[in-house]
Amino acid sequence: MTRTWAPESASRGHVVVLHGRGEHPGVYERLGRRLAADGYTVVAPDREASPESWFAGAGDAARVLAGSDTGALLAWEAALAEPVDALVLAGTPLAAAEPPAGREDEIAARTSCPIHREHLGADPDFEWGALTGSTGEPPQRLPEIPVLLLHGESDPIAPVDPVTRLGAAHSQATVAAFKDGVHDILNDKAHRSAAARIVLFCEEIAKGAVLLPEVPAARNTRARRAAPVHVSARVDYSLRVLTELARGPQQQTCEAMARSQGIPLNSLVNLMVELRRGGLVRSRRGCEGGYWLARPAAQITLAEVVRAVEGEVVSHHEDGPHAEVWEQLGRTVAEFMTRVSVAELAQPAAA
């Protein structure tokens, strides 16, 4: 049956984990509890559950689809059709390997974690010998979303080399190979590190916590980041793509906008997630997918853009003796930004 682990406070994102051969949703109890403790809702659905039900109740939270073994292949295929923000593939079987000869060989191929070994040995619902079954063919391409590939360096069931090549060929993919790791990497001896890597990945997707490349300051300028008014790279990038959407074709891909605007693709992908969550853009997945403005450009203000990617227009130290001055500055800046629309910014500069 489907298992769910929810955080005690508001959810930071919604992670769906699809199990592999021989497994069941309860196998991911440890992972679910750990991610829930970090603020994420985790759902391990039964194989009979429909994809439409996986993200029930997710609302506007970031949607991350994950899978292990054949569950990774299922998640991969679903991410090409379902509106998800990111994909995590663990122990992805891309090449044939010799199946384990018996129960002892199988448990050694699956995990070197003594606690998980004990749990599997006492689990009446675990299906031994399932790794001898066919995995089927993987999809032809990865979806155009951030992808995290987790794999055991010593995986005897799914060799790591094809996964490494897959990650290298995809601009939004990251490969994390664990030294001496085996097949069930989410329940292997490095399970804490694997869970931590997933949390970091979710943080990047849900909050846009991406390290941007340093931009050298222009010559003969004394401006610093601590200046009273600072325009971040995130705001600048967001305005660039929104004005391009206002000027150009109704629908454009992240890849095309990243090239035309000179924006790092991974940074742009994360920003588009936040702009979509803020109700400023809409998107469609698949070969014919892309982004377009959710409303006419004249109805989208600069203030809305800043709030979508930064959370607030102005922040200041509230305990100082001159707090009222900074509050007045904040109101003035906010009022100005409310009067400026994306349509105005999209107009050609006067000669």
Side-chain angles (χ1 to χ4, degrees):
M1 60 181 295
T2 295
R3 297 290 303 277
T4 302
W5 299 271
E8 295 182 358
S9 57
S11 179
R12 300 160 69 88
H14 199 99
V15 182
V16 170
V17 182
L18 307 183
H19 64 80
R21 290 170 289 179
E23 298 180 326
H24 56 81
V27 169
Y28 293 96
E29 173 84 23
R30 186 165 56 181
L31 178 69
R33 288 182 179 275
R34 182 162 289 118
L35 268 60
D38 278 298
Y40 291 90
T41 299
V42 180
V43 176
D46 185 87
R47 279 292 173 87
E48 301 302 319
S50 65
E52 293 77 14
S53 68
W54 292 348
F55 291 99
D60 291 332
R63 301 180 175 206
V64 179
L65 185 55
S68 178
D69 184 58
T70 51
L73 297 178
L74 180 60
W76 180 351
E77 183 176 1
L80 290 166
E82 300 296 323
V84 299
D85 297 312
L87 179 65
V88 178
L89 305 179
T92 313
L94 297 182
E98 189 69 24
R103 181 162 172 159
E104 290 302 317
D105 286 344
E106 178 174 345
I107 199 167
R110 282 185 175 277
T111 179
S112 56
C113 172
I115 294 177
H116 193 58
R117 283 176 171 235
E118 183 179 344
H119 285 173
L120 291 184
D123 187 347
D125 297 322
F126 190 81
E127 298 178 12
W128 295 98
L131 290 177
T132 59
S134 173
T135 62
E137 292 295 320
Q140 295 297 309
R141 62 182 179 85
L142 286 172
E144 295 301 325
I145 55 176
V147 179
L148 175 61
L149 297 159
L150 301 174
H151 215 90
E153 186 183 47
S154 302
D155 188 340
I157 303 301
V160 69
D161 288 346
V163 173
T164 302
R165 291 194 295 271
L166 174 68
H170 190 271
S171 61
Q172 298 183 60
T174 301
V175 179
F178 294 86
K179 182 175 176 58
D180 299 327
V182 288
H183 189 55
D184 294 346
I185 198 63
L186 299 180
N187 277 309
D188 199 16
K189 65 180 180 180
H191 63 90
R192 293 182 182 84
S193 296
R197 190 63 188 84
I198 292 174
V199 170
L200 177 60
F201 182 66
C202 290
E203 288 292 301
E204 293 174 349
I205 301 305
K207 299 297 181 183
V210 177
L211 294 177
L212 300 176
E214 291 187 6
V215 179
R219 292 185 178 180
N220 300 323
T221 179
R222 299 177 62 185
R224 295 185 176 183
R225 184 173 178 80
V229 178
H230 169 75
V231 179
S232 69
R234 290 160 53 78
V235 171
D236 178 53
Y237 290 166
S238 298
L239 288 176
R240 287 196 221 174
V241 297
L242 290 174
T243 53
E244 179 162 336
L245 289 174
R247 295 183 189 128
Q250 183 179 12
Q251 184 171 300
Q252 299 188 51
T253 65
C254 277
E255 289 78 5
M257 292 187 290
R259 285 194 300 270
S260 65
Q261 294 295 328
I263 300 173
L265 180 58
N266 189 56
S267 299
L268 180 57
V269 168
N270 289 322
L271 284 174
M272 296 309 290
V273 170
E274 295 186 48
L275 293 174
R276 178 173 63 80
R277 193 178 301 125
L280 304 184
V281 300
R282 293 179 181 169
S283 65
R284 179 181 295 113
R285 302 294 185 191
C287 296
E288 303 299 324
Y291 287 89
W292 64 93
L293 295 181
R295 308 196 303 273
Q299 297 178 13
I300 300 175
T301 68
L302 177 55
E304 288 181 284
V305 178
V306 173
R307 289 191 179 100
V309 300
E310 297 290 7
E312 55 185 339
V313 173
V314 175
S315 61
H316 61 85
H317 184 61
E318 298 181 354
D319 298 330
H322 307 297
E324 177 57 34
V325 174
W326 306 125
E327 290 177 4
Q328 183 176 351
L329 173 63
R331 288 193 295 269
T332 301
V333 173
E335 290 171 4
F336 169 78
M337 290 184 173
T338 302
R339 296 196 299 268
V340 179
S341 71
V342 168
E344 294 176 64
L345 297 173
Q347 293 177 358

